[in-house]
Amino acid sequence: MTDNLTSTEPDVRASAPDGQLPHKPGDAQAAAEVVRRIWAQVLEVEAESIDVHRSDFFELGGYSLLALQAIGRILTEYGVDEVESVEWEGELLNRLFDNATPMVQAEFLAEMGCGTPSVDNRPPETSR
C-alpha cells in the first residue's frame, strides 16, 4: 500500500468521471508502424518510403476519401467498436488535416490505449 501523501503519481481516478480509469497509454511507435503500413496499402506505395515523423499523407498522393479509408482500416485493425469509431474517426481526421504525418495519428491511438494490434483484429493480408 502506498502513502498518498508521499506518492508522486497523480490520482487519475480523481479526475475521471465516476472514478473510472481513462484509457491506458499505448505504444505510439508501434501504432506509427501500423499507420505506416495501412497508408502504404491505401496510397499504393512502399511502406519503407513513408517516414513516420515527416511524410505527409497528402503529399504522398492522399486525399479526403483515401484518408477516410485509411482511418477505417486503422480502426478495424484495432477492433474499435462502432460507437467509439465515430468519435475516433473524427479526431483522427481532424489531426490528419492539422498535421498529416503517421506519428500524429499514432499519438492519438496511443492516447486511446493502442499500440500493437491484436492478431485477432487484423484483417487478412491481400496481395496486389
Side-chain angles (χ1 to χ4, degrees), residues 42-43 57-58 61-72 89 93 96-97:
V42 170
L43 297 170
F57 182 83
F58 302 104
Y63 50 90
S64 58
L65 292 176
L66 286 179
L68 290 171
Q69 184 179 13
I71 289 169
E89 182 179 83
L93 196 58
L96 185 68
F97 284 118

Side-chain angles (χ1 to χ4, degrees), residues 5-127:
L5 296 176
T6 59
S7 174
T8 58
E9 293 291 316
D11 183 3
V12 292
R13 290 180 206 206
S15 61
D18 301 325
Q20 298 172 351
L21 286 174
H23 291 280
K24 180 181 174 188
D27 180 352
Q29 191 60 45
E33 292 304 317
V34 170
V35 173
R36 177 184 11 203
R37 180 176 40 79
I38 290 173
W39 281 19
Q41 292 169 354
V42 170
L43 297 170
E44 298 180 354
V45 299
E46 293 296 320
E48 295 77 26
S49 70
I50 299 173
D51 180 312
V52 297
H53 296 284
R54 293 180 188 87
S55 293
D56 182 290
F57 182 83
F58 302 104
E59 289 176 4
L60 291 168
Y63 50 90
S64 58
L65 292 176
L66 286 179
L68 290 171
Q69 184 179 13
I71 289 169
R73 288 184 186 191
I74 292 166
L75 298 176
T76 297
E77 182 137 341
Y78 282 110
V80 178
D81 68 42
E82 192 174 322
V83 174
E84 274 191 319
S85 70
V86 172
E87 179 183 329
W88 289 32
E89 182 179 83
E91 185 62 29
L92 285 167
L93 196 58
N94 285 338
R95 289 184 186 211
L96 185 68
F97 284 118
D98 286 342
N99 183 340
T101 63
M103 188 53 78
V104 170
Q105 299 268 282
E107 287 168 350
F108 170 75
L109 294 166
E111 288 170 22
M112 302 310 288
C114 299
T116 304
S118 162
V119 176
D120 296 338
N121 293 333
R122 293 180 75 177
E125 292 289 324
T126 57
S127 58

